[in-house]
Amino acid sequence: MQRLLSILNQRLAAGEPVVSATIATHEGSTPRSAGSKMLRFADGGMAGTVGGGLVEAQVLEAMREVMAGGAPALLSFELTGEMAAGADMVCGGRLRVFLERIAPEDAPLFTELEAHLARGERCLLLTADNDGARSLLLPDGTRGAALPEDAARQARERGSCILAPVLLECGDAAWFLEPWAAPSVLLIVGAGHVSRPTAQVAALAGFQVTILDDRPEFANRERFPWAREIAVLDGFENCFAGRAPGPDASVVIVTRGHLFDKTALGQALRTPAGYIGMIGSRRKRRAVYDQLLSEGFTPADLERVHCPIGLSIEAETPEEIAVSIVAELIQARAARREA
């Protein structure tokens, strides 16, 4: 999403209008979930996707009409028969796609949105379904078009917990409420041979990667060009200082030894991290868990841990293990968004 926002801002800065298509709701078997986005440019180019097939073809045609000056539109699709086959989906899915034209004069609003996301802040964007008027709800107030008091209240109440767009009705008006947040944070504790491909694959999958290790010869930009942050620690005793993982964050523990793993895992369990995984065999897991239980952790605490880490795909090489780890991270991230 941040990549598409960056592309959008580049086009707006160049004085070009852009049409955005966002899946507003989905039910059943659909090619993409709510929040998936596609942009169409005045030159006919595009970025992103809402799933391909006949759905995307019809959305692109409708985007052409909106580009020509049309009002925002909400398209509904029933994935049955030919349309389901064209999307390679089982029949029965439904989705609605919200289309809006974004003009160059809207650039300040989206530039500010991008700046807030770069600081890791969560924002809410509301777009009126009749005239496309936009309001940006930020931690320090509201930008853009004025919002009715009731609409602003509902938006903040609903928007505090949603991870995908919703349609908000307020009196005779309706608003498309879209949450924007920085990519899910991934803290990788350890910078060894498994960490390197894991960081690369995770970054490609949209995670914001931080590498934590006490060895500068391992934790450096040359080895981890895909990481957003690389921190060389004095030790693992306080490895999350200043960067405690929240409910949407993931922790992957792949240090060079049992003792360091246990130290990092104990700290991770004291956070609300949405995913905690530790590499190692079942024998190693028993040893680490026994130590943590003796320190006061409970069996319920340890049930939060994915160990052995990663989906079971018979992975052997560091690269294969990385794929299995990131696959499990994606699975856990999707489950949080559906919750």
Side-chain angles (χ1 to χ4, degrees), residues 104-186:
E105 52 265 31
D106 297 313
L109 193 72
F110 287 93
T111 299
E112 184 169 8
L113 171 60
E114 187 173 17
H116 281 274
L117 294 182
R119 294 195 289 269
E121 297 172 353
R122 191 173 191 274
C123 309
L124 298 170
L125 181 64
L126 284 92
T127 306
D129 73 341
N130 55 355
D131 60 4
R134 295 182 185 84
S135 299
L136 185 60
L137 275 64
L138 302 170
D140 62 348
T142 302
R143 307 287 192 275
L147 270 176
E149 183 177 343
D150 190 43
R153 177 184 57 79
Q154 288 191 49
R156 292 192 185 280
E157 290 175 354
R158 295 284 303 278
S160 64
C161 58
I162 61 172
L163 296 173
V166 298
L167 295 172
L168 181 67
E169 295 185 359
C170 180
D172 296 331
W175 302 78
F176 178 62
L177 174 59
E178 187 177 11
W180 285 82
S184 296
V185 170
L186 170 60

Side-chain angles (χ1 to χ4, degrees), residues 6-16 18 103-104 107 111:
S6 178
I7 293 172
L8 169 64
N9 279 329
Q10 291 171 18
R11 293 283 180 155
L12 295 178
E16 303 175 26
V18 176
T111 299

Side-chain angles (χ1 to χ4, degrees), residues 54-79:
L54 291 177
V55 169
E56 188 156 292
Q58 292 187 22
V59 169
L60 283 168
E61 179 59 26
M63 292 174 84
R64 185 185 63 80
E65 297 175 7
V66 173
M67 178 67 77
L74 184 64
L75 307 181
S76 297
F77 296 94
E78 294 272 350
L79 296 184

Side-chain angles (χ1 to χ4, degrees), residues 31-96:
R32 296 294 298 272
S33 58
S36 299
K37 187 181 292 289
M38 179 170 62
L39 305 177
R40 180 162 185 165
F41 314 122
D43 60 9
M46 56 179 287
T49 180
V50 291
L54 291 177
V55 169
E56 188 156 292
Q58 292 187 22
V59 169
L60 283 168
E61 179 59 26
M63 292 174 84
R64 185 185 63 80
E65 297 175 7
V66 173
M67 178 67 77
L74 184 64
L75 307 181
S76 297
F77 296 94
E78 294 272 350
L79 296 184
T80 58
E82 182 183 0
M83 184 164 288
D88 195 25
M89 304 299 294
V90 176
C91 295
R94 300 181 182 87
L95 59 84
R96 291 189 288 179

